[in-house]
Amino acid sequence: MKLKTLAVSAIVAGMLIGCGGGSSDSDNTESSSSEVVGTAVDEIIQNGVVELHAGSPAGEILVTTRTDMNGNYKATVKNYTGVVVSVIKCDEQSRMKGFDGADLGKCNLDVPLMTAVEVAKNTTVKAHASPMTTMLVALATRGNNSSKIDTTKLTKAKKTIAYMYGIDPTVLNPATNDIYKKEVLALHQVAQNNHLNMGDLIKALNADAADGIIGDDNSSLVSGIKQQLSNNGIKSSFIMGASSTINAAVIGASSVPYDAIGIARSTFSTVRGQIDSIANENETGTLNKEAQAIENSITKNTFETVGKNVEVMGRLLEVVVDSDLNVSGTFKLDNGNEFDYSLDTDDNKSWSYTLKDSNGDEYKGSIISNIDTRNQDSWENLPDSITATIDGKIPNKNGSTDVKANVKFNKNGSLMTLDINNLYIGTNSDNVAIKNVKVEVGYEDVENDGEKEPKAHYVKLKSITLDTTLDNRFTFDGTITVDYVQNKIIADRYGKNDMFHTEVEEVRFAIECNNSNHDYYDGDKIPTYTLEGKTYTVDYCDNNGNTCYDWNVNAILEGEVDNDEIKKSITVNVDELQCKDGSDVITTGWMSVESYDDVSNSGYIPNMVKFEGKVKDLDTKVELDGTISAKSDQMSTFDVDNENIALPGKVSLAVILKRPNFADTIVNGTYEILNSEGDERLTVSYKEGTTDLVTMKANYDKINGDTLVSGVVEISSINGLRATIPVTKEGDIDYSRNIPVYVGSIKVGNIEERDGLPVVKYMDGTFESFN
């Protein structure tokens, strides 16, 4: 895995499903208040009755509550620490819902679900309930509901269930965890295969577990469960082993941490499943594809489409503000396109306009202003605030564009602001509706024929607020904001107070000998010419064609300068030249110049771009809600033309990712380039609901922005799973060193390489793919 893919890799390995819970002694004397939360599943039990009992299924009822429409429950336990057993029953008001959301009708479960956890003082613990947790309680009580469960009994029972199912079913959410759901559905399939309802299956499993040995009393049923779990892609020590029975006393007393292995196994299985669908190296995950599609859509429809059309609108408004009665002329856009225009008015407030392109096609519309420009004798005397509406057609490369907008123009010292509200842009293929566009223009008043008029120094697109559907696919409800800084290198190179500059690429001219035959120049000295005080030497003179060429001029001129003006500024230094016959050299007057205009914006470039809001993909039903930003504090001094150095900066992500068939996931991440060497720091954390899942940190140090000196990837999860993975100097993650994997302080196995692929080898001898 090369360094350039490590940002994606961190997301791939992230979002590890978390586990939590408290533990304590059974001291019930001090005042305390703790919460027990969980989900009851056989599939999802709605409005089920939940009783929390002290110490055993038949113990004192501490509190009673009900599950909600998603099977969730929450109860507050006061002044109690120790084991709590949740007992979930169905009554006449209870219903069932499938994992797919389908209404399954009245809850017909005739045996209660149970689960057991330890409650500490003033904590929140998870106590999810399912057929597997009910079996856990049967193991801990040996089938006697009056038998009190202590810490030792609960721990041994959890290790046994983890040995059988490969998970801790009390702490993983059975309604959202894919592995857990597959296991519950496997039990449903076994019940159906044996012509049982789920209640009968649960009773049979409880009875089989009551003596502490699973599979001895009902071997065919347990063997069927083992096979069906395997068919559903589940891995556990029991499923991958040869034995058809489980001795709870042996497993519970074993030094192999089956319960901790279960936590790690469910974590890595989740990575292979739903996490790979979020982001991966092949860029086929949800975030990969959505981010690229969203970026393309925003770029095309805002910065490109809006920018071009707002420029045309701005030129029209500029003419309106600066004109008296009817007016016509030509204006040139930044992309070089020219349009003839005519504006007609009777009162200098209501205008009709016509634009004509080079093909003769016409585009018409209207502009209504709040001021009568006949009363404004100069730019200097214009009011500080002007409002206008525009409605009509303007040209684009594929035909015409319908535009509507309310525009507010403000003067404030040396700043102008353009506030465009309710902007609508409609083309043959796309319609864009934008709530607001804010633009800031820095300018100075300059003299022109005795009157002052504005000269723009820079333009800053400050924000775009969207509430629209783009490309018939994405709904946007949010704001893009941009901050700027003046880059010193650009400002020095192109001008600190110039909006535009002109780059001269090629100059050609003809010179000849001042003799009677007007021979071509044939001297030995290479001609030079002067442009704005700087001398340039031509690359080549063609004696046959009588033309001298300079193909790589690279001259930078302030402002927008057309080729005719450039030619007038060029002086060929003929005094330095002499033909071989001794005659002087003269120019013929023939000259050709190639140049292009570019925006230098006085060196002002974005140093922060941020999107805040919601984006929904109507095709995939994926929704992102939050903030994404990119910022660099060194844009003012960074050489943007130097490709050999890295730009220090930070990209931050804080979004809720909503996807069909997955729990909502909160993703927080930062990716930093720390210096020009390219040293990188990456942190990604995930949260499902209110539960923290995992944090991944990656650190990479380089020399000369290329050679890796050191690197490490650290994985840590709320459930205690952690691993530290080194990175080789070539930028590959190094799986060859038998990297230990822990859950808390318990080592559960090693990450190692097998047949060229990374695997986790657990202490029970089983293997799990790492990616």
Side-chain angles (χ1 to χ4, degrees), residues 219-236:
S219 59
S220 62
L221 194 65
V222 174
S223 295
I225 291 173
K226 181 177 182 178
Q227 184 61 53
Q228 191 61 51
L229 289 171
S230 179
N231 292 345
N232 283 19
I234 305 303
K235 293 181 179 181
S236 71

Side-chain angles (χ1 to χ4, degrees), residues 660-671:
N661 303 317
F662 290 99
D664 293 352
T665 306
I666 300 173
V667 184
N668 290 279
T670 59
Y671 170 68

Side-chain angles (χ1 to χ4, degrees), residues 132-146:
M132 289 88 92
T133 61
T134 306
M135 193 174 178
L136 182 151
V137 173
L139 282 169
T141 61
R142 290 295 190 264
N144 180 2
N145 284 344
S146 298

Side-chain angles (χ1 to χ4, degrees), residues 247-259:
N247 189 323
V250 173
I251 299 301
S254 171
S255 60
V256 177
Y258 293 105
D259 48 349

